Amino acid sequence: MGRITLQGIGKIFGHDPARAMDLMAQGKSKAEIAALCGAVVGLRDVAVEVPEGEILVLMGLSGSGKSTLLRCMNRLVEPSCGRIVVDGTDVTALSRRDLLAFRQKMFGMVFQHFALLPNRTILGNVGFGLEIKKVPAAQARERAMRAIELVGLKGWEAKYPNELSGGMQQRAGLARALAADAEILLMDEAFSALDPLIRRDMQAELRELQKTLKKTIVFVSHDLDEAIALGGRIVLMKDGEVVQAGRPEEIVAAPATEYVARFVAHIDRVAVLRAGQVADGTAPVLSPTQTAAEARAVLAGRGGEAWLVAGPDDRFAGRLPAVRLAAARPDETLASLLDRDPGTVEAGAGLAGLLGRVAAEGVLAVVDTEGRLVGSLTSRDVVLALSARPGAGGSVPGGHEAAISSEPAGAERWTGQSPNSPSTRSATRASIGSPTMAAG
Amino acid sequence: MAVPPWIVIAVAALATWKIGGRRVGLLTLFGLLFLWNLRLWQATVETLVLVILATAAALVIGIPVGIWFALSRRAWRIFSPVLDMMQTLPSFVYLIPALPFFGLGAVSACFATIVFSVPPVIRLTALGIRNVPAELVEASDAFGGSSAQKLFKVQLPLALPTIMAGVNQTMMLALSMVVIAAMIGAGGLGRVVWQSIQRLEAGAGFEAGIGIVILAVILDRATQALAARARPHGTA
Ligand SMILES: Nc1ncnc2c1ncn2[C@@H]1O[C@H](COP(=O)(O)OP(=O)(O)OP(=O)(O)O)[C@@H](O)[C@H]1O
Ligand SMILES: [Mg+2]
């Protein structure tokens, strides 16, 4: 329960929405519409889908329409056009009375500045939603107390909001949203007013709570680090439109526009990127049935600490240390020379946890869930990934390409080409070749 | 008066003590005893009754109107200048329209007092409600609260300190008007002052004047204490 579907949502603020809608249909920009008829385009043709039990983070600069979109979901802001469906109910079609009942049942909201009533105790505040729902007092009290315990505020229920720190007040705000047993939590910059340490705690805690509660959460933030910490999908907005949607690592690895690139520029890429996105798929791969002599011929003097060996179907066989290859008799097959430690990592593994291993082992083999070799991962690949300029057209979405490493600083940008096209791949080879070669 | 003055004084002192603490209680006790001692008890009670009646009526009218002004931008735009004008007119102007309807006497006096003292409570009720932080109002909407739930659970409780400040101002205006309304036949301390002026009895007029001041201070302190209690927990 709690799936949200938004289709073609538009919102015009101002006197003459009909005229502005016309202009919008003609494809005029937000600035043009403002100049022509004075109306502000809050949202424009937004389509968003939030699967139940997931966290969706709405991001964008100030004024990009995040709050407006969030408030369209429970119709605190009335959309000018479009359809909102929550769990099969067409919210846009509800009468006012039904809408109130629907809000009581489905939505809990957490606010940037907590929005706790100063004249009520924490218990009174947390029970607010239940009181609105006309839940009998004794039961409401019990449910509010449960929510208070859930957010770790037990013992504080008789205090007033101004007796609590900001972090605790926001816990109370969260408890109020949870107490009403709503299936969807709408959180508008819920942690933005907290100081950084508390903020990180709250992010971790929300994530922890979410594991058991499995609510559908829509979280507005203009902090990509927060979005990453919450671990949800991201919808990036600009001027009321969605510019990119996807998982944080996808967005960081392949920003769709300059705007997105600026947004992710400062981001700690190590924390976001995954092994599969960084791995170099162009490094030479040897076959276990080859002999040492054949292998030396293939490598033709390239340097490197180790080579990756994979059988048919890219099935990864093991690592071949360069020293062993050098010492081997020419007719020995590679299968007998492989390192006992295969040195594999899953393509989905976070880069942050691999830095030590990359440094210690020199070459790691990145494999997918079926054990097929995706590419090699060397310290050079890591450095290239971290230094890659975001926004360059050459980044490849998805993890099975040597995406980031193929775009070192100073290399020419590829423009107007699908990153997956064959010419791109050959360009990759031509411009940098294999990292292991360069390392030697 | 059927009730002996000392009982009234004791009850009033206890009540104000409960509301505003020991100082206000003692002020009430000695203030009223002093007035009794000046043989102004009867006049004091008459004034007090008029003030309380007029204030109550002003609140019954003013608070709903204030709520209406707060919720309707239109009403506020239209009637706000009227309130401004009501407050700028000299107080005895209100005596004139009351006369043809109610004639000389307490009813006219009460009517004029209500009209004169109602603007502050209207204005401050509207102001208090409008100043409730938007996020709190939105919280009520977000949890599915109806307009009535929003009003009674969020807007009015949070506007209460401001509304109480309006009550205080309204009561002070009512007191000042009740004195002036002696000209059209209101009884009480005002009449004593009015008569002394006509008979050139400076001493008696002075005593009644002091009585009005004492009453004003007691009412002011008591309603201010009420307003302070309405403030949310821990705010100054
Ligand atoms: N009630 C309103 N009346 C007129 N314009 C509005 C209103 N609410 C929002 N807007 C406009 O709609 C646009 C989107 O605003 P919104 O508040 O959704 O942005 P936001 O992304 O939440 O920004 P922030 O990060 O500052 O909260 C802005 O241009 C804003 O000026
Ligand atoms: Mg906002």
Side-chain angles (χ1 to χ4, degrees), chain B residues 64-86:
Chain B
V65 172
I67 292 172
W68 179 43
F69 283 10
L71 302 183
S72 158
R73 198 175 285 275
R74 190 116 154 269
W76 176 255
R77 256 209 321 274
I78 296 172
F79 291 106
S80 183
V82 178
L83 289 184
D84 286 335
M85 202 190 63
M86 281 170 79

Side-chain angles (χ1 to χ4, degrees), chain A residues 33-307:
Chain A
I33 294 172
L36 283 170
C37 68
V40 176
V41 177
L43 294 173
R44 138 179 229 158
D45 198 23
V46 173
V48 169
E49 172 97 31
V50 195
E52 68 176 79
E54 281 206 8
I55 299 187
L56 181 81
V57 185
L58 298 179
M59 299 199 39
L61 298 180
S62 196
S64 56
K66 309 179 292 290
S67 301
T68 308
L69 182 60
L70 186 79
R71 281 163 176 73
C72 276
M73 294 180 181
N74 60 356
R75 276 175 63 195
L76 281 178
V77 168
E78 206 62 62
S80 307
C81 62
R83 225 163 78 96
I84 305 157
V85 180
V86 174
D87 266 351
T89 306
D90 186 348
V91 181
T92 10
L94 292 178
S95 69
R96 178 164 162 83
R97 193 200 202 100
D98 293 343
L99 177 63
L100 292 185
F102 196 71
R103 281 183 190 155
Q104 291 174 11
K105 187 172 94 176
M106 293 300 286
F107 292 102
M109 198 157 176
V110 185
F111 298 85
Q112 180 171 6
H113 300 289
F114 324 136
L116 298 175
L117 297 170
N119 57 331
R120 292 178 174 226
T121 61
I122 295 304
L123 184 63
N125 268 292
V126 172
F128 181 77
L130 300 166
E131 200 179 310
I132 295 274
K133 273 183 167 176
K134 306 213 170 80
V135 174
Q139 197 193 336
R141 202 190 136 83
E142 189 192 316
R143 281 167 69 178
M145 278 310 296
R146 233 182 301 147
I148 286 172
E149 272 172 51
L150 203 57
V151 300
L153 276 184
K154 195 166 159 57
W156 293 85
E157 62 273 4
K159 301 273 191 226
Y160 285 85
N162 65 354
E163 295 173 294
L164 270 58
S165 69
M168 294 170 97
Q169 288 187 45
Q170 195 56 301
R171 280 164 202 268
L174 186 57
R176 174 173 62 182
L178 294 176
D181 260 344
E183 289 162 27
I184 301 170
L185 293 186
L186 303 178
M187 306 179 73
D188 193 354
E189 309 212 14
F191 303 151
S192 299
L194 305 176
D195 61 54
L197 285 179
I198 308 282
R199 191 170 175 171
R200 238 168 291 153
D201 288 350
M202 292 292 286
Q203 289 160 359
E205 204 156 319
L206 179 64
R207 211 177 154 158
E208 207 46 49
L209 275 175
Q210 171 67 357
K211 280 190 192 149
T212 50
L213 296 177
K214 299 261 193 297
K215 303 273 182 196
T216 304
I217 300 179
V218 185
F219 196 106
V220 169
S221 174
H222 44 226
D223 179 3
L224 189 55
D225 290 312
E226 181 160 81
I228 292 162
L230 292 172
R233 234 161 36 92
I234 293 176
V235 166
L236 248 157
M237 302 185 61
K238 179 182 189 243
D239 289 345
E241 288 177 276
V242 174
V243 282
Q244 192 172 5
R247 305 217 32 101
E249 62 270 18
E250 289 164 11
I251 292 178
V252 169
T257 68
E258 201 56 40
Y259 173 81
V260 181
R262 284 219 314 278
F263 224 98
V264 301
H266 78 283
I267 211 65
D268 179 7
R269 300 170 69 89
V270 175
V272 182
L273 290 174
R274 294 172 192 272
Q277 293 173 301
V278 178
D280 176 13
T282 65
V285 176
L286 303 170
S287 156
T289 55
Q290 281 174 314
T291 63
E294 284 166 334
R296 288 189 200 121
V298 169
L299 298 170
R302 296 186 190 201
E305 285 180 55
W307 309 102

